[in-house]
Amino acid sequence: MAIRVSVIGASGYGGAEAIRLLAGHPHVRLVHVTAETRQGQRLADLYPNLRGFVDLETEAADAAAIGRDSDLAIVSLPSGKSMALVPDLLERGVRVIDVGADFRLRDPALYPAWYDFTHIAPRYLAEAVYGLTELYRDRIRTARLVADPGCYPAAALLALVPLLRAGVCGQHIIVDAKSGISGAGRGGAGGGHPFAEASDDVRAYSVPRHAHTAEIEQELAAAGGGETRVTFVPHLVPMARGILVTAYAPLVRPLDPGAAAALYRDAYAREPFVRALLGETLPQTKATMGSNFCDVAVRIDPRAQWAVAIAALDNLGKGAAGQAVQNLNVMCGFPEETGLRVPGLYP
Amino acid sequence: MAIRVSVIGASGYGGAEAIRLLAGHPHVRLVHVTAETRQGQRLADLYPNLRGFVDLETEAADAAAIGRDSDLAIVSLPSGKSMALVPDLLERGVRVIDVGADFRLRDPALYPAWYDFTHIAPRYLAEAVYGLTELYRDRIRTARLVADPGCYPAAALLALVPLLRAGVCGQHIIVDAKSGISGAGRGGAGGGHPFAEASDDVRAYSVPRHAHTAEIEQELAAAGGGETRVTFVPHLVPMARGILVTAYAPLVRPLDPGAAAALYRDAYAREPFVRALLGETLPQTKATMGSNFCDVAVRIDPRAQWAVAIAALDNLGKGAAGQAVQNLNVMCGFPEETGLRVPGLYP
Amino acid sequence: MAIRVSVIGASGYGGAEAIRLLAGHPHVRLVHVTAETRQGQRLADLYPNLRGFVDLETEAADAAAIGRDSDLAIVSLPSGKSMALVPDLLERGVRVIDVGADFRLRDPALYPAWYDFTHIAPRYLAEAVYGLTELYRDRIRTARLVADPGCYPAAALLALVPLLRAGVCGQHIIVDAKSGISGAGRGGAGGGHPFAEASDDVRAYSVPRHAHTAEIEQELAAAGGGETRVTFVPHLVPMARGILVTAYAPLVRPLDPGAAAALYRDAYAREPFVRALLGETLPQTKATMGSNFCDVAVRIDPRAQWAVAIAALDNLGKGAAGQAVQNLNVMCGFPEETGLRVPGLYP
Amino acid sequence: MAIRVSVIGASGYGGAEAIRLLAGHPHVRLVHVTAETRQGQRLADLYPNLRGFVDLETEAADAAAIGRDSDLAIVSLPSGKSMALVPDLLERGVRVIDVGADFRLRDPALYPAWYDFTHIAPRYLAEAVYGLTELYRDRIRTARLVADPGCYPAAALLALVPLLRAGVCGQHIIVDAKSGISGAGRGGAGGGHPFAEASDDVRAYSVPRHAHTAEIEQELAAAGGGETRVTFVPHLVPMARGILVTAYAPLVRPLDPGAAAALYRDAYAREPFVRALLGETLPQTKATMGSNFCDVAVRIDPRAQWAVAIAALDNLGKGAAGQAVQNLNVMCGFPEETGLRVPGLYP
């Protein structure tokens, strides 16, 4: 028997990728797909890869209809948009996986500080479970509201958590992230990122005030048991998909490379979607493209006594829609890899 | 119960893509994977996307071992290499899908003319079934040896066959093809196609003597009942995967756009992997990336009375490994879409 | 002594490239740069490569001010926009190089047929000189109004004219063109071409009704002395700059490869910006990137008796702004290569 | 009167770019161009952008011939190769600009530690002047041997030196660099970086032992007056040219953003090829593509009290060949911008 799922924000890259994955999920029936600005369009016209898979048209997001017809909703809206809709869905008995930022931060005061809005539904923040499955699997099982990690935090946390848990890191960490252009969304401010200007180009942005900083700090503190300060600098690189995070953490006690690798091996040995690279190979985004995998590795700079932790993932996969489907599986009691166990494209 | 499959030529892009697809096929067990120049390497080191999926090492191609352990072999070798191995496999009772060129042409005289070698196993040419499923599905079911189409011919034929069958085309057709760089293989002559020289570049090559010309002509003649001459010009464009074929055919009798579209609708209505685009949208390679789909459309230039037929596919999917798995399904009596019904990546 | 030049439409790619070239021109002083939608912005903010070269801000296009301060204007506006401005500039004594389409077609009836507008200044069409320097150098010298070729026609004509002049071609020619994304402009309809959707993608568009068809037919007829029908299909490929045209022409009398090559050698031996490739090498766009060169070559398909003529250029160089500066040099009596003799970037 | 220049290592990207620049230099006559593995080839066949500019063929590197015919040599060889040739050239009276690594480090002991070879001409290390013009202009004027910076150090030093000189940084600095693929050379180990595997991919390499670390540390110490430890992680990103360095430096005393920006404004106000961005815009590689510019900016993370310094340049321009020509101008008394004052390509 299939669960009934609606996707809110289906015209964006994250929502469309969720639909792509759900189209192949054996226990899901897609019910409503909504879009704020492109209503009444066939999904397969917006996303030509979906021709022959999905015959739905985008609708306005009507909480009553979604509530009536859905067991679960995947919400993929810009920051500040889902907090107005999600409580309504929850109260109508729909479980929610929010791919956006509105329920990730537990402290409501962080929203005006990092996102320039005041949260209108702060009491749901306490209930929301942070949706990085590897960290909160047990709580996700029974959660009504799961707040999926941002694409950058997903990579940064999978890179860093084994070190934080081991208590070997100092309190200031640097996260340098490189993202494919789809991470900037389908219609970014200023007319998006035209090919001719984004090709042959690398640039940093939002330095040093990207909102994902707060989320990374929150979860590193939770993992390590203390306050952690993060300097986070995201970059855009000329590829469609993929994030590589290179994180730099000072060591408070000596850690040799073998012991460092063992932390990663142990942390991820039973994880279906995190591959710890223990040999000479370093993560690369292409090995994860189109998949739900995150590849991680660690190196030690012995001269500086800093660790360098690296993670690669597909920002639309483990960084967004794949993570959402993984949580859907956990929430619904399906085997966690259902509909997701696919290798990336290479080349 | 699973069939036992070996992949010959597993270090090349085509072979590796076949393994990627077979890794998710519910009725296939991978037995041997062979490589001429990179033996003894873990596949997952050569293709990092396969980490966690395949634990095999590349071996030398040993016909006896393959024959003993395999029900079917997918052979993906450079031109002139498989004709030495395939007969041996066949005689040992292994059914063969040859992704290469050695058994595609029915007339042995075409090999010295187009491929610069004399065929050493010509009697198998008569037996081989041309592996474009849409054209030869019935014969493929029972074939011992299936010769899969080249990547360019697959696209050109799916673009043109509806017109040829309708008998509306003259005898000289132009096929202008644009291919992603993976089509040139992993280690092409002259050191491959380094990123820094292939990016921001489009070029034609092998004008006007590309060997695929013979194959396109052979199958257009079979489809249309008469001799067809093809001027074929392939180009390399800066993308990893994908082929777009733009084919130009003179009309011998008037054909209005609606009637032309109807030919495509009818030809492909029941095909699981060919999507005829009947509206304003034209095929684009990205809509097929990572999938086994071929998207086709036709336009009529009324001033010149020429048809323009366009097809898009993934050269490693429907143009190579996807096509091979589709034939495997047909040969083994599995539902034709088994392990293949996946939408492309977009974006 | 320097001439005073204004650039109308400086925020678009073509206008900005003209400014980039003029910034290094020893005999030009830039006066006004105008933009319709982004007025009052520093050019170096719109085009960061121009930092340190140009200190101008974009203004509204004021014919009186431009007329007062300029000897020559380079006009780079969307189709249908320059016909309202150019006559005013001309009457104020400013010589004009129009990079757009409004004065290219000699027959006013072609505008409603191909461009969906009626020409409001048809009497200037007779005066305008078609600005492909290689065809009309003598008339350009003294012209008041030069109508630069479109990017596709520039490549198609340089590829085909030697054959047409020799009278060896039949009357129907196929032009298959592959363009980098900058050819679609900075802010195309539908939000431009976002990187994530244009990467890894090739598609055709405007089949079979692209407006450049009329222009190619006009000039092929002029070169060959008779009516020529063209089926023209443009494609977008994932690179920032560059056009490769592959043109297919039926031969009305036999032409061996050596004789064909000789036609190109002779046609371009004294041309500073057309390089006829007479050996095995074929044109590639990267060899022209950032330059004003067009590389051409010809092949004969002996089985079909068709010629295949190939040209590569930078759509913003010889396909737009470079061509404009070349004409400026001719019009002003400067050596034709002034400010333009720069090799392309490779890699 | 022109100086006579030979380029040693003309088949690599760095050497070829030097030739591209010298082809437009008014005071240079190119004499010999040498290549180890591709001798006897026309340069214009190896680099098709040079057609019509250079008519030389590659020769073996013959010190006697070069010494006899050249005033100056630009040497662009792999690490460990130029130390065998350069002393010979110097002793024959040829001034040398070495684009490679063999004379950059002043302490001979660093070569076995970082480059895995023992230096065979250590006494020339004391004589060699480090060729970052902005740091050593006066000594370069009269130098016999100039050792040009590596592409990564050039960017890292221009990003960091203003902070180091102000004495505001702690002793451990992180340099995270993103390079286009041409930085890996034309024929890298393992067959180079094929397009199909480098596209849509970001990866780190040589962590944490890249040899450029030693060079960055040497020059930061020279700039700051004390020992500096650097953790340097380079990455490859899918573009042909360009380096973006993001450097993270702890502050030992408070520095507000305005004061930080003033350090950069003052450091580079009179530099012809470094553009300090003082407003909201951050450096991007595309703004420097094909040029000799380096764009720099600085940000302060007030929560962590770390500075983030960013630099963008073309790895073949200011990171290699452009820098070499700039030094040639300084050494020969030509105006420093001769042959180099060209804006980058954008788009």
Side-chain angles (χ1 to χ4, degrees):
Chain A
M1 210 203 72
I3 60 160
R4 301 165 303 159
V5 177
S6 291
V7 174
I8 315 304
S11 64
Y13 291 148
E17 182 75 355
I19 291 167
R20 187 180 78 87
L21 294 171
L22 296 176
H25 195 293
H27 308 315
V28 164
R29 184 158 60 83
L30 208 53
V31 184
H32 295 286
V33 296
T34 79
E36 201 165 356
T37 57
R38 310 196 199 204
Q39 293 164 20
Q41 290 193 267
R42 291 183 62 240
L43 256 183
D45 289 340
L46 293 174
Y47 286 90
N49 57 330
L50 298 179
R51 282 176 204 135
F53 287 88
V54 183
D55 207 27
L56 297 170
E57 289 185 5
T58 52
E59 318 162 25
D62 173 344
I66 296 165
R68 185 188 62 223
D69 302 334
S70 317
D71 300 306
L72 186 148
I74 294 176
V75 179
S76 184
L77 295 175
S79 299
K81 295 282 186 184
S82 69
M83 65 184 173
L85 176 68
V86 164
D88 198 355
L89 295 177
L90 293 172
E91 299 316 324
R92 291 169 190 274
V94 181
R95 295 173 86 185
V96 172
I97 298 167
D98 186 6
V99 179
D102 288 13
F103 297 95
R104 291 178 196 153
L105 301 177
R106 279 184 282 274
D107 178 356
L110 291 172
Y111 282 94
W114 289 95
Y115 281 98
D116 291 326
F117 65 77
T118 300
H119 208 287
I120 61 172
R123 71 186 179 90
Y124 292 90
L125 295 178
E127 173 184 358
V129 177
Y130 190 71
L132 191 57
T133 322
E134 291 73 13
L135 299 188
Y136 294 99
R137 184 175 282 111
D138 283 341
R139 293 187 52 202
I140 291 168
R141 271 188 236 289
T142 56
R144 194 167 64 144
L145 170 57
V146 172
D148 265 20
C151 52
Y152 290 123
L157 294 170
L158 292 171
L160 284 166
V161 158
L163 292 175
L164 271 287
R165 284 187 176 158
V168 296
C169 293
Q171 288 174 338
H172 176 242
I173 288 174
I174 288 164
V175 174
D176 186 292
K178 300 88 179 166
S179 173
I181 313 288
S182 67
R186 197 169 204 186
H193 294 272
F195 184 94
E197 295 174 47
S199 73
D200 281 305
D201 190 42
V202 178
R203 68 177 84 184
Y205 68 100
S206 299
V207 187
R209 288 287 305 166
H210 193 285
H212 283 181
T213 308
E215 182 185 341
I216 300 172
E217 290 184 348
Q218 167 183 289
E219 295 301 324
L220 288 181
E227 194 183 0
T228 304
R229 187 124 302 179
V230 170
T231 297
F232 169 55
V233 177
H235 302 75
L236 288 180
V237 301
M239 58 185 185
R241 291 170 175 239
I243 284 177
L244 191 87
V245 155
T246 314
Y248 302 84
L251 294 172
V252 293
R253 54 182 175 81
L255 185 69
D256 67 57
L263 294 176
Y264 285 73
R265 184 195 60 211
D266 296 346
Y268 297 126
R270 281 164 305 279
E271 285 300 335
F273 291 115
V274 183
R275 299 183 293 205
L277 309 186
L278 304 173
E280 290 190 8
T281 307
L282 289 171
Q284 57 177 124
T285 59
K286 202 180 189 82
T288 67
M289 189 171 71
S291 83
N292 193 46
F293 287 96
C294 178
D295 288 351
V296 296
V298 67
R299 294 291 183 271
I300 303 297
D301 182 352
R303 301 162 65 249
Q305 282 300 307
W306 279 58
V308 181
I310 302 178
L313 52 73
D314 183 329
N315 58 300
L316 297 177
K318 183 67 178 168
Q323 175 63 78
V325 174
Q326 187 179 358
N327 285 336
L328 178 152
N329 288 337
V330 171
M331 292 164 79
C332 298
F334 306 140
E336 195 168 322
E337 299 176 78
T338 308
L340 284 177
R341 190 169 155 72
V342 176
L345 296 187
Y346 193 98
Chain B
M1 208 202 75
I3 62 161
R4 301 165 305 159
V5 177
S6 291
V7 173
I8 315 304
S11 63
Y13 292 148
E17 181 77 354
I19 291 166
R20 186 179 79 87
L21 294 171
L22 295 176
H25 195 291
H27 308 313
V28 164
R29 185 158 62 83
L30 209 54
V31 184
H32 295 286
V33 296
T34 81
E36 201 165 357
T37 56
R38 310 196 201 202
Q39 293 163 20
Q41 290 192 268
R42 291 183 61 241
L43 255 184
D45 289 340
L46 294 173
Y47 287 89
N49 57 330
L50 298 179
R51 284 176 203 134
F53 287 88
V54 184
D55 207 29
L56 297 169
E57 289 186 5
T58 52
E59 317 163 24
D62 173 345
I66 297 164
R68 186 188 61 224
D69 301 334
S70 316
D71 301 306
L72 187 147
I74 293 176
V75 180
S76 183
L77 295 175
S79 300
K81 296 282 186 185
S82 69
M83 65 184 172
L85 176 68
V86 164
D88 199 353
L89 295 177
L90 293 172
E91 298 315 325
R92 291 170 190 273
V94 181
R95 296 173 84 183
V96 172
I97 298 167
D98 187 6
V99 178
D102 287 14
F103 297 96
R104 290 178 196 154
L105 300 176
R106 280 185 281 273
D107 178 357
L110 291 172
Y111 282 95
W114 289 95
Y115 281 97
D116 291 325
F117 65 76
T118 300
H119 208 285
I120 62 173
R123 71 186 178 89
Y124 291 89
L125 296 178
E127 174 184 357
V129 177
Y130 189 72
L132 190 56
T133 322
E134 290 74 14
L135 300 186
Y136 294 100
R137 184 175 281 113
D138 283 343
R139 293 187 52 203
I140 291 168
R141 274 189 234 286
T142 56
R144 193 167 66 145
L145 170 56
V146 172
D148 265 19
C151 53
Y152 290 124
L157 294 170
L158 292 172
L160 285 165
V161 158
L163 292 175
L164 271 288
R165 284 187 176 158
V168 297
C169 293
Q171 290 175 337
H172 176 242
I173 287 174
I174 288 165
V175 175
D176 186 292
K178 300 89 179 164
S179 174
I181 312 287
S182 68
R186 195 169 205 187
H193 294 273
F195 183 94
E197 295 174 47
S199 73
D200 281 304
D201 191 41
V202 178
R203 66 177 86 186
Y205 67 100
S206 299
V207 187
R209 288 286 305 163
H210 192 285
H212 283 179
T213 308
E215 182 184 341
I216 300 171
E217 290 184 348
Q218 168 183 288
E219 296 302 324
L220 288 182
E227 193 182 1
T228 304
R229 187 123 302 179
V230 170
T231 297
F232 169 55
V233 177
H235 302 75
L236 287 180
V237 301
M239 60 184 183
R241 294 170 173 237
I243 284 178
L244 192 88
V245 156
T246 315
Y248 303 84
L251 294 172
V252 294
R253 57 182 173 78
L255 186 69
D256 67 58
L263 294 176
Y264 286 73
R265 184 195 60 210
D266 295 348
Y268 297 125
R270 281 164 304 279
E271 285 299 336
F273 291 116
V274 183
R275 297 183 293 204
L277 309 186
L278 304 173
E280 290 190 8
T281 307
L282 289 170
Q284 58 177 121
T285 60
K286 201 178 191 83
T288 68
M289 188 171 72
S291 83
N292 193 46
F293 287 95
C294 179
D295 288 350
V296 297
V298 67
R299 293 290 183 273
I300 304 297
D301 182 353
R303 301 162 65 248
Q305 282 299 309
W306 280 58
V308 181
I310 302 178
L313 51 72
D314 183 329
N315 58 301
L316 297 177
K318 183 66 178 168
Q323 175 64 78
V325 174
Q326 187 179 358
N327 285 336
L328 178 152
N329 287 336
V330 171
M331 292 166 79
C332 298
F334 305 140
E336 195 168 322
E337 299 176 79
T338 308
L340 284 177
R341 189 169 157 72
V342 176
L345 295 188
Y346 194 98
Chain C
M1 209 203 74
I3 60 160
R4 302 166 303 159
V5 177
S6 291
V7 174
I8 315 304
S11 64
Y13 291 149
E17 182 76 355
I19 291 166
R20 185 180 80 87
L21 295 171
L22 296 176
H25 196 292
H27 307 314
V28 163
R29 184 157 62 81
L30 208 53
V31 184
H32 295 286
V33 297
T34 80
E36 201 165 358
T37 56
R38 311 195 200 204
Q39 293 164 20
Q41 289 193 267
R42 292 183 60 240
L43 255 184
D45 289 339
L46 293 173
Y47 287 90
N49 57 329
L50 298 179
R51 283 176 203 136
F53 287 88
V54 184
D55 208 28
L56 297 170
E57 289 186 5
T58 52
E59 317 162 24
D62 173 345
I66 298 164
R68 185 188 61 223
D69 301 334
S70 317
D71 300 306
L72 187 147
I74 294 177
V75 179
S76 184
L77 295 175
S79 300
K81 296 281 185 186
S82 70
M83 64 183 173
L85 175 69
V86 164
D88 198 355
L89 296 177
L90 293 173
E91 298 316 325
R92 291 168 190 275
V94 181
R95 295 174 85 184
V96 171
I97 298 168
D98 186 7
V99 179
D102 287 13
F103 297 94
R104 292 178 194 153
L105 300 177
R106 281 185 281 273
D107 178 357
L110 291 173
Y111 282 95
W114 289 95
Y115 282 98
D116 291 325
F117 65 76
T118 300
H119 208 286
I120 62 172
R123 72 188 178 87
Y124 291 89
L125 296 178
E127 173 184 358
V129 178
Y130 190 72
L132 190 57
T133 322
E134 290 75 13
L135 300 188
Y136 294 100
R137 184 175 281 112
D138 283 342
R139 294 187 51 204
I140 291 167
R141 274 189 234 287
T142 56
R144 192 167 66 143
L145 169 57
V146 172
D148 265 20
C151 52
Y152 290 123
L157 294 169
L158 292 171
L160 285 165
V161 157
L163 292 175
L164 272 286
R165 284 188 175 157
V168 297
C169 293
Q171 289 174 338
H172 176 241
I173 287 175
I174 288 164
V175 174
D176 186 292
K178 299 89 179 163
S179 173
I181 312 287
S182 67
R186 197 168 205 189
H193 294 271
F195 184 93
E197 294 173 47
S199 73
D200 282 304
D201 191 41
V202 178
R203 68 178 84 185
Y205 67 100
S206 300
V207 187
R209 288 285 305 164
H210 192 285
H212 283 179
T213 307
E215 182 184 341
I216 300 171
E217 290 184 349
Q218 167 183 291
E219 295 302 324
L220 288 182
E227 194 184 1
T228 303
R229 186 123 302 179
V230 170
T231 297
F232 169 54
V233 177
H235 302 74
L236 288 180
V237 301
M239 59 186 184
R241 291 170 175 239
I243 283 177
L244 192 88
V245 155
T246 314
Y248 302 85
L251 295 172
V252 294
R253 55 182 175 80
L255 186 69
D256 67 58
L263 294 176
Y264 286 73
R265 184 196 59 212
D266 295 349
Y268 298 124
R270 280 163 307 280
E271 285 299 336
F273 291 116
V274 183
R275 298 184 293 205
L277 309 187
L278 304 172
E280 290 191 8
T281 305
L282 289 170
Q284 57 176 123
T285 59
K286 201 177 189 83
T288 68
M289 189 170 70
S291 84
N292 194 45
F293 288 95
C294 179
D295 288 351
V296 297
V298 68
R299 294 291 183 273
I300 304 296
D301 182 353
R303 302 162 65 248
Q305 283 300 306
W306 279 58
V308 181
I310 301 179
L313 52 72
D314 183 331
N315 58 301
L316 297 177
K318 183 65 177 169
Q323 175 64 78
V325 174
Q326 188 179 358
N327 285 336
L328 177 152
N329 287 336
V330 172
M331 292 165 79
C332 298
F334 305 139
E336 194 168 323
E337 300 176 78
T338 309
L340 284 177
R341 191 171 155 73
V342 177
L345 296 187
Y346 193 99
Chain D
M1 207 202 74
I3 61 161
R4 303 165 303 158
V5 177
S6 291
V7 174
I8 315 303
S11 63
Y13 292 148
E17 181 76 354
I19 291 166
R20 185 178 80 87
L21 293 172
L22 295 175
H25 195 292
H27 308 313
V28 163
R29 184 159 61 82
L30 209 53
V31 185
H32 296 286
V33 296
T34 81
E36 200 165 357
T37 56
R38 313 197 199 201
Q39 293 164 20
Q41 290 193 266
R42 293 183 59 241
L43 255 184
D45 289 339
L46 293 173
Y47 287 89
N49 58 328
L50 298 178
R51 285 176 202 134
F53 287 87
V54 183
D55 208 28
L56 297 169
E57 289 186 6
T58 52
E59 318 162 23
D62 174 345
I66 297 164
R68 186 189 61 224
D69 302 333
S70 317
D71 301 306
L72 187 148
I74 293 177
V75 180
S76 183
L77 295 175
S79 299
K81 296 281 186 187
S82 69
M83 64 183 173
L85 176 68
V86 163
D88 199 353
L89 296 177
L90 293 173
E91 299 315 325
R92 290 168 191 274
V94 181
R95 296 172 86 184
V96 172
I97 299 168
D98 186 6
V99 178
D102 287 14
F103 297 94
R104 291 178 195 153
L105 301 177
R106 281 184 280 274
D107 178 357
L110 291 173
Y111 282 96
W114 289 95
Y115 282 98
D116 292 325
F117 66 75
T118 300
H119 208 286
I120 62 173
R123 70 186 179 90
Y124 292 89
L125 295 178
E127 175 185 357
V129 178
Y130 190 71
L132 190 57
T133 323
E134 290 75 11
L135 300 187
Y136 295 100
R137 184 175 280 112
D138 283 342
R139 294 187 51 203
I140 291 168
R141 274 188 234 287
T142 56
R144 193 168 67 144
L145 169 56
V146 172
D148 264 19
C151 53
Y152 290 123
L157 294 170
L158 292 172
L160 284 165
V161 158
L163 292 175
L164 271 287
R165 284 186 176 159
V168 297
C169 293
Q171 289 175 338
H172 176 242
I173 287 174
I174 288 163
V175 175
D176 185 293
K178 300 89 180 165
S179 173
I181 312 288
S182 67
R186 196 170 205 186
H193 294 273
F195 183 94
E197 295 174 48
S199 73
D200 282 304
D201 191 41
V202 178
R203 68 177 85 186
Y205 68 99
S206 299
V207 187
R209 288 288 303 165
H210 193 285
H212 283 179
T213 307
E215 181 183 343
I216 300 171
E217 289 184 349
Q218 168 183 289
E219 296 301 325
L220 289 182
E227 192 184 1
T228 304
R229 186 122 305 178
V230 170
T231 297
F232 169 54
V233 178
H235 302 74
L236 288 180
V237 300
M239 59 184 185
R241 292 169 174 240
I243 284 178
L244 191 88
V245 155
T246 314
Y248 303 84
L251 294 172
V252 294
R253 55 180 174 80
L255 187 68
D256 67 58
L263 294 176
Y264 285 74
R265 184 195 60 212
D266 295 348
Y268 298 125
R270 282 163 304 280
E271 285 300 335
F273 291 116
V274 183
R275 299 184 292 205
L277 309 187
L278 304 172
E280 290 191 6
T281 307
L282 289 170
Q284 57 177 123
T285 60
K286 201 177 190 86
T288 67
M289 188 170 72
S291 84
N292 193 45
F293 288 96
C294 178
D295 288 351
V296 298
V298 67
R299 294 290 183 273
I300 303 298
D301 181 353
R303 301 163 65 247
Q305 281 300 308
W306 279 58
V308 181
I310 302 178
L313 52 70
D314 183 330
N315 58 302
L316 298 177
K318 183 66 179 169
Q323 175 64 78
V325 175
Q326 187 179 357
N327 285 336
L328 178 151
N329 287 337
V330 171
M331 292 165 79
C332 298
F334 305 140
E336 195 168 321
E337 299 176 77
T338 309
L340 284 177
R341 191 170 154 72
V342 176
L345 295 188
Y346 193 97

